[in-house]
Amino acid sequence: MNIIPIGDPQDPRVTAYLDIRERDLVGRHGRFVAEGKVVLDLLLSTRRFAAESALVLENRLAGLQPILRKAPADFPVYVAGGEVMDKIAGFHMHRGILAIGVRGDPAPAEALVETLPRRALAVVLVGISNHDNMGAIFRNAAAFGADAVLLDTTCCDPLYRKAIRVSVGAALQVPFASFADTATFTATLDRLGFSQFALSPRGAHDIREADRSPRLALYLGTEGEGLPRDLLARLHTVRINMAEGFDSLNVAAASAIALHHFSNR
Amino acid sequence: MNIIPIGDPQDPRVTAYLDIRERDLVGRHGRFVAEGKVVLDLLLSTRRFAAESALVLENRLAGLQPILRKAPADFPVYVAGGEVMDKIAGFHMHRGILAIGVRGDPAPAEALVETLPRRALAVVLVGISNHDNMGAIFRNAAAFGADAVLLDTTCCDPLYRKAIRVSVGAALQVPFASFADTATFTATLDRLGFSQFALSPRGAHDIREADRSPRLALYLGTEGEGLPRDLLARLHTVRINMAEGFDSLNVAAASAIALHHFSNR
């Protein structure tokens, strides 16, 4: 790594870290922000995304050596004191560890699923628009060994700063890609031999009765509306049984139950 | 209900709604804030807590009639326009539905568990300090029919505004109480015939092998540290199997899997 002290918040070399929260909203021209030690470690070790640089508090540098050693020799590590770092970020950065990653050119979902192994667990998301839920679903996907997450175009961005943070870096680890048309994508998964299950409060079968097939796709929809009716008609529908009078489960919690069920058999 | 138009943000009758976010931090002298339609409905229909008043946007009033009819005849419903409401709350209240509840005198956990039925599922929380996790655990507890949530004194407050919101009102629904000493409380549950299970990444048994006994207590600990070692030594420990190399699951996700397991058998 290449350690570069930064004394001036206006230093052009740290432009990518300016006003973190404001940039969350306007976007970062193909870049994303990774925060914290665990996420930085995943960024540098999975290498799914190129890492452009890191910005760390001077008192965190020593503890990060084992992680930063995973970066290329010329990887810039900008080091700043607390006051300078807060001025760059635009708010108090108590963790003191930031990095910039590059999104690269995302492959379409159809290409990603072609590469999956003969035994594979795929998560298909339709209309997941909350970054906390997105991050939590990725975290569960990683915990239960899902091979890919496929998103329709109404889903929010897994590389949004908060989604990465809530995922504890799983968004940098589990391969994901987007598809444009759900019906076409469902047909692709069908052709590739995936059994396709949709989680729905009014699913035909209790999920505990659902068998695992070698290639399995699990569809999750928005919390309020759920999955579109015409899509449900084309898939196996499974439900999570709840207490009487209750049919509301957070979609991330539902993903944990369903992925745990399918991954362990 | 008693409808009272409010035209002045400084009206002393809406003092309890002033500067919502600031008051989240300093406390509300035995009161809590309930937000949104679903939560208001639960506050008024479960009657676990006394409701003191509501403050709603004028354009929401008509749609709330079926819910507000559940309140006593003299229940004050303050009605304001958007600008006045935002000035009272101190930020933009896009949902436009607020209510104040009264905490009352909480019974100790020992008294609450004495009242549980012969078949009962209790959730015991140790050191859950994040309001999102607290709310999500309550939501799962309600979804899977848990009879009570028992908290040690290092847990955060389930009636904190955000915890109630994330719980979608379950914090106003599922009875909860605190205990001072974990060892003493564990002995109480033991005396009452509860099988006691602790969720831990290094649990002795896969949770899918754990049988449901009529009275069952599920212990969940903090995400980082987990449950204290001396406590684990006194309980049945169960684990949720994860993908190789992964041993990190959000505590709310873990609660969903465990409660689903125990509630449905």
Side-chain angles (χ1 to χ4, degrees):
Chain A
M1 75 207 94
N2 177 17
I3 301 209
I4 302 158
I6 299 288
D8 174 7
Q10 301 300 326
D11 190 313
R13 292 172 294 184
V14 293
T15 305
Y17 297 93
L18 281 177
D19 305 323
I20 298 253
R21 286 184 175 155
E22 286 69 22
R23 301 257 184 120
D24 284 345
L25 304 173
V26 298
R28 295 193 161 83
H29 307 288
R31 287 169 176 72
F32 61 86
V33 173
E35 299 167 300
K37 193 170 173 172
V38 174
V39 176
L40 176 63
D41 194 4
L42 283 168
L43 176 65
L44 296 177
S45 51
T46 68
R47 301 189 177 213
R48 283 203 58 236
F49 298 95
E52 201 167 70
S53 67
L55 168 63
V56 304
L57 265 181
E58 52 197 3
N59 64 13
R60 300 299 306 267
L61 185 61
L64 287 176
Q65 291 303 315
I67 290 172
L68 290 171
R69 244 178 259 130
K70 299 175 184 175
D74 59 349
F75 181 68
V77 179
Y78 303 113
V79 179
E83 208 176 318
V84 171
M85 185 143 184
D86 290 356
K87 276 192 184 148
I88 296 170
F91 66 106
H92 177 54
M93 289 298 316
H94 66 282
R95 299 209 216 189
I97 300 170
L98 293 169
I100 300 288
V102 182
R103 289 169 178 269
D105 279 328
E110 286 77 5
L112 174 54
V113 293
E114 292 279 0
T115 69
L116 293 179
R118 285 176 63 176
R119 181 178 169 86
L121 178 56
V123 180
V124 184
L125 304 181
V126 178
I128 303 295
S129 58
N130 173 296
H131 290 109
D132 287 277
N133 287 338
M134 183 59 80
I137 291 169
F138 267 85
R139 186 171 176 184
N140 294 334
F144 296 117
D147 297 280
V149 177
L150 299 320
L151 308 97
D152 85 337
T153 50
T154 69
C155 282
C156 65
D157 177 13
L159 296 182
Y160 187 81
R161 187 169 60 97
K162 194 178 185 191
I164 297 177
R165 192 175 64 217
V166 172
S167 83
V168 198
L172 308 181
Q173 191 175 18
V174 182
F176 68 87
S178 290
F179 55 89
D181 179 69
T182 307
T184 311
F185 186 63
T186 298
T188 301
L189 287 176
D190 201 37
R191 178 174 56 76
L192 292 172
F194 278 81
S195 298
Q196 303 191 61
F197 288 88
L199 209 53
S200 164
R202 277 156 292 283
H205 299 282
D206 184 336
I207 188 165
R208 288 169 308 153
E209 294 158 11
D211 284 330
R212 165 75 197 249
S213 45
R215 296 192 129 187
L216 191 139
L218 173 72
Y219 285 67
L220 300 166
T222 50
E223 251 183 80
E225 312 256 313
L227 291 162
R229 198 175 290 250
D230 61 327
L231 179 61
L232 288 176
R234 275 179 282 131
L235 307 173
H236 304 292
T237 59
V238 284
R239 64 175 189 276
I240 292 171
N241 279 357
M242 280 175 247
E244 213 173 318
F246 218 91
D247 75 343
S248 158
L249 201 59
N250 166 271
V251 65
S255 78
I257 293 167
L259 290 168
H260 175 250
H261 172 79
F262 285 123
S263 79
N264 278 285
R265 59 191 62 212
Chain B
M1 76 208 91
N2 178 17
I3 301 209
I4 303 159
I6 299 289
D8 173 7
Q10 300 299 324
D11 191 315
R13 293 172 293 185
V14 293
T15 305
Y17 297 94
L18 282 176
D19 304 322
I20 299 251
R21 286 182 175 159
E22 286 69 20
R23 300 258 185 119
D24 284 345
L25 303 175
V26 299
R28 295 191 162 85
H29 307 291
R31 286 167 177 74
F32 61 86
V33 173
E35 298 167 300
K37 193 169 175 174
V38 175
V39 176
L40 176 64
D41 194 4
L42 282 168
L43 175 66
L44 296 176
S45 51
T46 68
R47 302 190 178 212
R48 283 204 59 236
F49 298 95
E52 202 166 70
S53 69
L55 168 63
V56 304
L57 263 182
E58 52 198 4
N59 64 12
R60 301 300 305 266
L61 186 60
L64 287 176
Q65 292 301 315
I67 289 172
L68 290 170
R69 246 179 256 129
K70 299 174 184 177
D74 60 348
F75 180 69
V77 179
Y78 303 113
V79 179
E83 208 177 319
V84 172
M85 186 145 184
D86 290 355
K87 277 192 183 149
I88 295 170
F91 65 108
H92 178 52
M93 289 298 315
H94 67 281
R95 300 209 217 189
I97 301 170
L98 292 169
I100 300 288
V102 183
R103 288 170 179 269
D105 280 328
E110 286 77 6
L112 174 54
V113 293
E114 292 280 359
T115 68
L116 293 179
R118 284 175 64 176
R119 182 178 167 86
L121 179 55
V123 180
V124 184
L125 303 181
V126 178
I128 304 296
S129 59
N130 174 296
H131 290 109
D132 288 275
N133 287 337
M134 183 60 79
I137 291 169
F138 267 85
R139 186 171 177 184
N140 294 333
F144 297 116
D147 297 280
V149 178
L150 300 318
L151 308 98
D152 84 338
T153 50
T154 68
C155 283
C156 65
D157 178 12
L159 297 181
Y160 187 83
R161 186 169 62 95
K162 193 178 185 191
I164 297 176
R165 192 176 65 217
V166 172
S167 82
V168 199
L172 308 180
Q173 192 175 19
V174 182
F176 68 87
S178 290
F179 55 86
D181 180 68
T182 306
T184 310
F185 186 63
T186 298
T188 301
L189 287 176
D190 200 38
R191 179 173 59 74
L192 293 171
F194 278 82
S195 298
Q196 302 192 62
F197 287 88
L199 209 54
S200 163
R202 276 157 292 283
H205 299 281
D206 184 335
I207 189 165
R208 288 170 306 153
E209 294 157 13
D211 283 332
R212 165 74 196 250
S213 46
R215 296 192 128 187
L216 191 138
L218 174 71
Y219 285 67
L220 300 166
T222 49
E223 250 182 80
E225 312 256 313
L227 290 162
R229 197 176 289 251
D230 60 328
L231 179 62
L232 288 175
R234 275 178 284 131
L235 308 172
H236 304 293
T237 59
V238 284
R239 64 174 189 276
I240 292 170
N241 280 356
M242 281 174 246
E244 214 172 319
F246 218 90
D247 75 344
S248 158
L249 202 58
N250 168 270
V251 65
S255 79
I257 293 166
L259 289 167
H260 176 251
H261 173 79
F262 285 123
S263 80
N264 279 285
R265 58 190 65 213

